[in-house]
Structures are given as C-alpha cells and as structure tokens.
Amino acid sequence: MWEYAPAPESRDIANLKPSYKMFVDGKFVEGAGEPLKTINPATEEVLAEVSTAAPSDVDNAVKAARRAYDRVWGKMPGSERAKYIFRIARAVQERSRELAVLESLDNGKPIKEARDADIPTAAAHFFYHAGWADKLSYAGYGPSPKPLGVAGQVIPWNFPLMMAAWKIAPALACGNTVVLKPAETTPLTALVLAEIIQQADLPPGVVNILPGAGDVGKTLVEHPDLNKVAFTGSTEVGKSIQRSLAGTGRKLTLELGGKAANIVFDDAPIDQAVEGIVNGIFFNQGHVCCAGSRLLVQESVADELLEKLHIRVSSLRVGDPLDKNTDVGAINSGEQLTRIQELAEAGDAEGAERWTSSCPLPDKGFYFAPTVFSNVSQAMRIAREEIFGPVLSVLTFRTPDEAVAKANNTPYGLSAGIWTEKGSRILWAANKMRAGVVWANTFNRFDPTAPFGGYQESGFGREGGRTGLEAYLDV
Ligand code: NDP
C-alpha cells in the first residue's frame, strides 16, 4: 500500500454565507421559526445559521404555491415550462463545483461522490424532466393529462440536492407547484437551488423552500390545501404521514427504508462482485436507502470472497470529505452515528463476527470505520433493521431457492443485486425478487429514465422515468 498525498478541494469554492433565509413566493425571507445552525459533520464546526419556518410560514408558502398554480404555472403550455426547467438544469451544471463542495461540507460525503454522482444526477433529472414537459400527451396517460395542483415535499439528508431534484423536476414538468422541506442537517444546497430558481426567473411561488425540523415537515404534509404529498425518509415517519393523510383523497408517494440483498452466486466474477459489494454498502457512508446492506453469498465461494472483501475494504481511505482521495467521509450527524454504533453492538451481542477496517479515523467529527459482520443469521437485528451506515451483514446460502427466500425475507423491498455469469439465472432470480429495483452484475446505478421505488415497507409510487410522471398527474 502506498501513501496518498493530500488532495484537498478548496472550501472557498462553496461560497459559504454566514446565514441563509427561506425561499417563499420568489423571495428570500426570514422565517418566524427558531434559526438552526447547520454543522460540518467532518469537523463539528458551525457552517451557517439558517432561518426556519413556523406554521404561519408554511401557510404562506402553500398560499404562494396555490396562487402561482392558479394564475400562471398550471395554465402555462408545457413547451414554456420546459424552458424554465432547462434553465435550472443548465445553472445546476454551471454551478456544479460550488454545489459539490457545499454538499460535501454540509453532509460529510466525499467530494468525489458529490462531484461525480450527486450533482450530475440532480442536473440530469432537471434535463430529463424538461424534455417531458411538452410531451405529456404522448406519455400514455391520455390525450391531455392534467397536473394535480400544489405538492408538499419532504426530503432526507443523505442526498440533499439530488433528492430535491427528484422531487421538484417531475412536479414542475407536469405543471404542479411545490413547497419543499429539506432535512434539518442539510439545508444548504436546497437554498442555493432556490437562488438558481430565482435566477432562472421562475414565476414567484412556483417553488418554495422551507428549512426546519420534523415539525415543519409535519405541518407541511398535513396542510389542507395540498393536492399531493411526496416523502422520502424513514419508514416510521412515512407510516405516520400515511395515517394522517388517510381519507383526505390527497395523492401520496412514499420512498422509505430498505435492507437490500446483494446475492453472489458461485459462478460470479468474484473480483467484480467485490467492487460491487463495496460500492453497494460503502458509497455515501452507507447512508443509502437502496444500499446493499445484506450480502448473500453462496457457501462454496464465501471464504474466498470474504478474504478478498477484507483486503479491498482495508484499502478504503476514510477521512476528510473534501480530500479528493477520500472514499468514505463523515457520518451525517452525531445522532446517526449513535444509531449505527448501537446496531453494531447488537450484532456483537447476538453473536455475529465483527471485522473492522484498521484505517485511522480523524479525532474530530463523526466517523465510523467500514465494518463487515460475518456469521450473520436472519433473525439478528443487523440482518433485519436498516443500519444506514458503513456496516455490511454477510449471510450464506447453498441453493438459488434459498438465496431468493432469504433475500425476500424482509419487511422492506427497495432494491436487490444479483451477481452471476448466467443470464438465465439473472432473469430467474430478478423475477422472483420482491424489490422495486434489481441490479445485475452492478449496483447503485441511478438514471432519471429508470423508475425507482419500493415494495412493502419501502413505500409506494415510483420516481423517475415515464412511470414517475404518474405521481404528479391527475390520472
Ligand atoms: P426522518 O424520516 O425523520 O427524516 C426525513 C425527513 O422527514 C426530514 O426532512 C425530516 O426532518 C422530516 N420529518 C421528520 N419527522 C417528520 C414528520 N413527522 N412529518 C413530516 N416530516 C418529518 O429520518 P431521520 O433523518 O430521522 O433518519 C432516521 C432513519 O431513517 C435513518 O437511520 C435511516 O434508517 C432512515 N432513513 C431513510 C432514508 C431513505 O432514503 N429511505 C433517508 C433518511 C433516513 P428533520 O431533518 O428535521 O428530522
């Protein structure tokens, strides 16, 4: 192993401001809520103070979105809406370096991931949906599908800008207006997106962005003048939203947790599979709803695979997210770190075998070394619960039927991975998998043209692709 020289990206590129305001009706305004301090999880320093919404601000934002829908956006031809959405996409690209550094600072993710995955995927979602805006009549939802109205959207902290794009782009393309609440720990890139939206000259009120904690999200999703609610986050909060919306007739999509199985058959190209496993669970510190957090490996190749996996994981560089060589950055919050530590301890207590990379960890900030548990049985908490951190649980199987049975033995159903040389086995296994997305000989591939969403406790509704438009149309 060789030493890497430090390769830090400059934090000045982020254009960090000491304070940020909410975005309502086309203007940046102070919210009446208690301002929050957003921190850099890699160093625990305060990055900026952010204005938050009180219930009256939520009401004002929904009213602004309603006005914009009734007077302008809902009536605008798709070909005109498309121009605005293209402009947003272009500006996201133009400011991509700034956005990547800001995302890395606020979230803790490695700069190379923010730069190569989050920001380009966010731009791609705006480009893709701009293309749909004038073609909705050909989408298979009738000759002239209508928008729903005002959408309330709540997003999590794991892919802050990307989640904002996944929510806002399809809503606008279909002619809806939006009130969006970013996560409490990662509000900054959504507020730069608000600047971009202002620069793109979007009519006031079409997009409103309200930072704040869970109570702001709750007030928003329960607002009586919404036509649609879209939520990404924990299954627990998703269930409570579903309960509160029951009987209101409002359209709802939920993208919740996951405990994906990544299945490696004995004929799989092992070295390639190891790369896919590492990407599946250590990408974004494992803060990924579709993470391949359960590795199911055929018994005959388990020893070989585990040995190679340990060697590969030992080479992951953990540390400063702004260093371009960093593979695994900081855990997003102290709270999330505690949750990961508790679940890992449960793994020890229940008899799984813990292996941890011996990489050095920074003294300050929230870090958790990449960890692999082997000898895991299906009943253990680390095989059932979403850890949402850099922790992999390894189980074995003997026959393909056993692999499928174990993969489907979960209350979730968001994604799955299959590693085998045989195309027939891929099709056979994918057909039996109760998961919204199944990757074959790859993992964590995202594309705006491909629908993404879950089964069972992973939620319902799809985001992306033609299917994703349905969530924002009155069909
Ligand atoms: P939450 O579900 O609490 O947060 C997601 C978003 O919902 C945030 O914007 C949050 O605000 C907001 N929110 C919280 N409570 C409510 C409510 N009652 N009504 C409406 N909105 C609300 O996830 P956590 O951040 O607490 O993470 C907990 C666990 O959830 C993780 O460990 C992970 O297992 C899972 N998770 C899954 C995600 C996924 O993509 N599937 C994403 C994030 C978490 P605020 O930020 O202020 O809390």
Side-chain angles (χ1 to χ4, degrees):
M1 192 87 74
W2 58 86
E3 287 294 316
Y4 280 77
E9 177 61 290
S10 162
R11 66 176 276 162
D12 294 345
I13 296 164
N15 285 330
L16 197 60
K17 293 188 284 192
S19 63
Y20 289 78
K21 293 180 185 167
M22 317 182 313
F23 185 62
V24 178
D25 208 10
K27 292 187 276 297
F28 286 93
V29 292
E30 274 321 331
E34 187 66 29
L36 65 86
K37 288 185 169 54
T38 187
I39 65 157
N40 178 350
T43 58
E44 298 173 56
E45 66 171 315
V46 173
L47 289 171
E49 194 171 274
V50 180
S51 175
T52 72
S56 57
D57 298 310
V58 174
D59 195 46
N60 286 340
V62 174
K63 283 195 174 110
R66 175 63 60 192
R67 271 195 308 276
Y69 176 74
D70 288 341
R71 295 184 191 167
V72 198
W73 198 252
K75 301 193 274 204
M76 191 184 279
S79 55
E80 290 302 307
R81 288 200 306 272
K83 292 179 194 168
Y84 289 100
I85 307 170
F86 266 120
R87 245 184 258 163
I88 297 171
R90 290 287 301 275
V92 169
Q93 274 190 325
E94 277 160 23
R95 293 177 70 173
S96 59
R97 198 162 166 210
E98 172 193 351
L99 284 163
V101 177
L102 191 62
E103 197 76 297
S104 178
L105 282 171
D106 204 19
N107 170 280
K109 64 176 67 210
I111 182 67
K112 69 175 174 189
E113 290 181 4
R115 181 195 65 196
D116 299 344
D118 292 61
I119 313 301
T121 310
H125 268 262
F126 283 110
F127 276 119
Y128 174 75
H129 286 98
W132 265 122
D134 63 347
K135 300 174 195 70
L136 297 174
S137 320
Y138 311 103
Y141 298 115
S144 74
K146 298 277 175 292
L148 293 166
V150 179
Q153 307 177 319
V154 177
I155 55 171
W157 42 263
N158 51 346
F159 294 97
L161 185 74
M162 198 171 108
M163 287 295 112
W166 281 30
K167 295 278 177 285
I168 295 174
L172 297 190
C174 293
N176 305 275
T177 57
V178 163
V179 182
L180 175 122
K181 189 199 90 68
E184 186 182 4
T185 57
T186 54
L188 298 184
T189 47
L191 294 169
V192 174
L193 180 64
E195 280 177 26
I196 288 173
I197 283 167
Q198 200 181 39
Q199 285 159 359
D201 222 8
L202 226 74
V206 173
V207 174
N208 305 273
I209 297 184
L210 301 179
D215 57 326
V216 179
K218 187 168 161 48
T219 311
L220 173 60
V221 299
E222 292 177 2
H223 195 287
D225 198 29
L226 295 181
N227 304 97
K228 153 87 190 173
V229 171
F231 172 79
T232 298
S234 62
T235 296
E236 189 193 343
V237 173
K239 283 182 181 174
S240 79
I241 293 176
Q242 191 176 11
R243 270 194 295 271
S244 68
L245 262 66
T248 63
R250 251 165 262 156
K251 215 163 171 173
L252 172 67
T253 39
L254 297 175
E255 200 268 87
L256 310 174
K259 192 74 192 176
N262 205 358
I263 307 175
V264 181
F265 288 101
D266 56 4
D267 62 341
I270 297 291
D271 290 340
Q272 238 173 290
V274 166
E275 287 307 310
I277 294 161
V278 167
N279 172 286
I281 186 64
F282 300 117
F283 173 66
N284 204 33
Q285 295 71 245
H287 301 328
V288 185
C289 44
C290 55
S293 52
R294 280 185 302 149
L295 172 63
L296 301 184
V297 54
Q298 196 147 8
E299 208 174 79
S300 52
V301 292
D303 288 346
E304 180 193 354
L305 185 132
L306 216 53
E307 196 185 327
K308 289 188 166 180
L309 187 63
H310 289 167
I311 293 170
R312 178 67 181 92
V313 178
S314 300
S315 74
L316 294 177
R317 293 170 297 265
V318 182
D320 178 8
L322 279 190
D323 192 311
K324 291 172 205 153
N325 289 324
T326 293
D327 297 305
V328 179
I331 300 303
N332 179 251
S333 64
E335 203 185 340
Q336 187 62 24
L337 179 59
T338 307
R339 195 170 294 151
I340 296 167
Q341 285 163 340
E342 275 172 16
L343 274 161
E345 279 159 23
D348 296 331
E350 289 183 320
E353 206 172 296
R354 188 198 291 226
W355 176 93
T356 302
S357 168
S358 56
C359 58
L361 298 183
D363 298 331
K364 279 213 93 164
F366 311 127
Y367 289 92
F368 194 88
T371 296
V372 178
F373 277 102
S374 52
N375 288 334
V376 177
S377 72
Q378 294 187 83
M380 291 180 186
R381 285 183 66 196
I382 54 168
R384 289 185 288 117
E385 294 179 31
E386 187 175 43
I387 301 176
F388 226 60
V391 181
L392 178 67
S393 301
V394 185
L395 299 92
T396 58
F397 66 88
R398 288 185 183 161
T399 63
D401 283 331
E402 188 189 345
V404 168
K406 283 185 169 169
N408 287 338
N409 184 13
T410 169
Y412 294 110
L414 193 54
S415 69
I418 301 165
W419 296 83
T420 170
E421 212 173 46
K422 292 189 187 67
S424 56
R425 187 172 272 173
I426 290 171
L427 295 175
W428 175 84
N431 270 329
K432 292 188 175 301
M433 219 58 82
R434 299 264 303 148
V437 181
V438 181
W439 287 294
N441 293 329
T442 186
F443 211 90
N444 272 343
R445 292 264 169 193
F446 303 103
D447 190 294
T449 65
F452 183 89
Y455 276 88
Q456 308 188 107
E457 296 208 352
S458 291
F460 49 80
R462 294 291 178 268
E463 292 183 295
R466 188 193 71 82
T467 322
L469 301 172
E470 195 180 330
Y472 289 95
L473 291 172
D474 186 13
V475 288

